[in-house]
Amino acid sequence: MKGAGPAGALDGYLKPRPNSKFLKLFLGAAVDVTSQRQENRLKIKEEYYEFRDKSTYAYIFWPCALLYLNQQRKKLASEPQQNGGGAFSLATAFPALVQAYWVWMLYFYAALALRENVLRANGSHIRAWWVNHHYYSIGMCLVVLTMDVQSNACLDYMTRFLAFTALQGAVMLAQNRYQRFRLYTRVAMGKANPMDVAGGEMGGNTGQLKLLYPLLFGLQMTQIYFGAVVLKAVAVEHGMDAFGSGGFGGGDKSGAGRRGKGDVAGPTEFDFFKDWQAPACGLLFIVMGVGNFRATLQTWLTKRSYASRAKRD
């Protein structure tokens, strides 16, 4: 029993669907997260919006602050005689701030995934990919938290990710505000379910502002590019640049690219995964970029098809 407008509330009186695997993991199977009262379901939706809006500002502030501190750390480290104390204090605090940032990111994505699963249980038509995207993000946060934050691989990946996250947060601000007002209009016209939510992050949803599509596609291509750059950087570090003339194992034959002592043979494919966190993060970044691009493209094509049918009618 589904529908738009007031009739759409009738599905709240049906037998609730079983909890998703993610909800079972955290809450168990016996906990009922559905509500029969429409006003309570709408409160869940508005609380989700409030959490996402407040988190967006932190989503922008954290990477900008860390990028600035990283630049200051490098500047102080280059002048140890004049600013030795400052360099030491910043060098000590920066890794702790980076770890705190990734802990917050882990909390942010886990909270979003939990809230979105609850919304889907209460009738929201959230695309499965955007929930799965947060699962991948949770996995990436867990992987990065196991990295040595002072390693070259981590710093190289971190700088790119922080710059990308700051850009993504800026798009989120414009996207959240526009799409919410647009969704209210669609609900009033009977074209959307009252429990539907406006897309966040890099999701292109029905009613998307046309100006944001180039920004979204550009961010998604940047995400794929950054992931590929991280993989190439790790390969070059281990003398296994598959993109160069030598291919895997065709780099530094003296073994200088390897970290082991006394190695004289050329690096192998296994050395590429010795520091497994950086390749894993690069692969996850590519997977999320491709998935985001595919989902946004499907939304854009659906919107064009709907507009074409409306013109013919």
Side-chain angles (χ1 to χ4, degrees):
M1 205 182 293
K2 297 180 180 179
L10 295 178
D11 59 3
Y13 295 94
L14 300 177
K15 182 179 180 180
R17 69 181 73 178
N19 288 347
S20 64
K21 293 181 180 179
F22 192 77
L23 286 176
K24 289 179 181 178
L25 178 65
F26 286 92
L27 303 178
V31 178
D32 184 10
V33 297
T34 59
S35 175
Q36 293 183 347
R37 297 178 63 86
Q38 181 71 354
E39 56 266 30
N40 292 339
R41 302 162 93 186
L42 291 175
K43 285 180 181 178
I44 297 173
K45 171 183 170 181
E46 291 304 320
E47 200 280 335
Y48 168 77
Y49 279 150
E50 184 180 355
F51 170 79
R52 201 172 68 181
D53 287 345
K54 290 181 179 178
S55 300
T56 300
Y57 293 103
Y59 199 87
I60 299 174
F61 170 77
W62 267 107
C64 291
L66 289 176
L67 284 171
Y68 173 76
L69 290 176
N70 190 37
Q71 289 295 326
Q72 294 299 312
R73 181 183 63 86
K74 292 179 179 179
K75 185 183 298 184
L76 292 173
S78 64
E79 302 173 354
Q81 288 79 14
Q82 293 82 357
N83 300 288
F88 175 77
S89 61
L90 191 54
T92 304
F94 183 75
L97 292 174
V98 169
Q99 292 288 69
Y101 166 69
W102 282 106
V103 169
W104 181 85
M105 289 287 283
L106 178 61
Y107 158 74
F108 172 69
Y109 285 122
L112 278 182
L114 278 171
R115 293 163 192 263
E116 287 166 353
N117 274 277
V118 173
L119 284 169
R120 293 189 72 183
N122 283 278
S124 291
H125 300 148
I126 302 175
R127 281 193 174 184
W129 165 252
W130 302 120
V131 183
N132 294 335
H133 171 269
H134 293 146
Y135 297 156
Y136 287 118
S137 299
I138 291 171
M140 187 176 67
C141 292
L142 290 172
V143 170
V144 175
L145 283 171
T146 66
M147 295 179 71
D148 179 7
V149 295
Q150 293 181 318
S151 65
N152 292 332
C154 181
L155 291 175
D156 185 57
Y157 172 77
M158 186 71 60
T159 303
R160 290 182 171 86
F161 181 83
L162 291 175
F164 171 81
T165 305
L167 292 173
Q168 182 180 351
V171 174
M172 284 171 59
L173 280 178
Q175 188 179 21
N176 290 347
R177 183 174 296 274
Y178 171 81
Q179 284 196 353
R180 190 173 311 173
F181 288 118
R182 178 64 176 168
L183 183 61
Y184 287 148
T185 303
R186 291 177 58 81
V187 171
M189 296 173 62
K191 295 182 178 180
N193 189 302
M195 281 302 297
D196 286 349
V197 297
E201 296 177 84
M202 294 196 300
N205 282 35
T206 304
Q208 175 74 54
L209 182 63
K210 292 182 179 180
L211 177 63
L212 290 178
Y213 275 113
L215 296 176
L216 291 174
F217 284 129
L219 278 176
Q220 290 154 6
M221 296 304 296
T222 303
Q223 188 175 21
I224 297 171
Y225 170 75
F226 280 175
V229 168
V230 170
L231 290 179
K232 186 175 186 296
V234 176
V236 171
E237 182 181 356
H238 292 282
M240 298 164 50
D241 185 6
F243 306 96
S245 59
F248 280 107
D252 185 4
K253 295 296 184 181
S254 64
R258 301 180 65 179
R259 297 183 179 180
K261 295 182 179 180
D263 294 332
V264 293
T268 66
E269 288 83 351
F270 296 102
D271 291 318
F272 181 75
F273 296 99
K274 188 174 181 180
D275 297 325
W276 62 273
Q277 294 96 335
C281 290
L283 286 173
L284 283 171
F285 229 45
I286 293 174
V287 169
M288 288 189 290
V290 172
N292 291 337
F293 182 84
R294 180 173 176 270
T296 305
L297 183 62
Q298 287 177 343
T299 301
W300 181 67
L301 292 175
T302 301
K303 183 176 181 179
R304 284 178 59 88
S305 176
Y306 178 81
S308 299
R309 288 198 302 269
K311 288 181 179 179
R312 288 196 300 268
D313 297 340

